[in-house]
């Protein structure tokens, strides 16, 4: 999850994109306490007037990392450095 978010942040920064739509999200267990996250992210070019960015996320961290499944829904959380 953290690696996936950091890859997304890097791609957004390099290409000047804003991602806002995520589809086909799958989480596959690989081994004990090890999972693979796969998803399709789409968005658009960053437009400062339209998107009104106040802070920029620099990196996702492992601090506060949480993963749980409730009623078949996956919940992931981490702290993001700004």
């Amino acid at each position: 999850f953290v690696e996936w978010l950091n890859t997304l942040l890097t791609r957004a920064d390099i290409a000047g994109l804003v991602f806002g739509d995520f589809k086909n999200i799958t989480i596959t267990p690989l081994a004990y306490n090890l999972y693979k996250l796969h998803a399709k992210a789409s968005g658009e070019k960053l437009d400062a007037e339209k998107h009104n960015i106040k802070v920029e996320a620099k990196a996702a961290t492992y601090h506060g990392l949480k993963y749980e499944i409730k009623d078949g829904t996956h919940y992931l959380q981490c702290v993001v450095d700004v």
Side-chain angles (χ1 to χ4, degrees):
F1 171 65
V2 173
E3 291 91 354
W4 185 82
L5 283 177
N6 283 324
T7 298
L8 199 65
L9 287 170
T10 300
R11 290 181 181 178
D13 188 44
I14 290 170
L17 298 172
V18 181
F19 293 104
D21 190 29
F22 304 92
K23 295 184 178 175
N24 302 326
I25 301 168
T26 59
I27 300 172
T28 308
L30 300 176
Y32 176 76
N33 217 17
L34 183 63
Y35 300 85
K36 179 179 181 178
L37 185 145
H38 184 268
K40 298 220 181 225
S42 61
E44 59 191 5
K45 284 286 189 183
L46 174 63
D47 178 341
E49 290 182 25
K50 178 180 178 183
H51 296 110
N52 194 22
I53 305 294
K54 293 184 176 120
V55 293
E56 181 181 351
K58 300 293 183 188
T61 70
Y62 286 94
H63 184 73
L65 183 62
K66 294 180 185 176
Y67 171 61
E68 63 182 317
I69 302 171
K70 285 186 183 176
D71 300 323
T73 300
H74 298 259
Y75 294 91
L76 297 123
Q77 176 181 317
C78 72
V79 173
V80 177
D81 286 340
V82 292

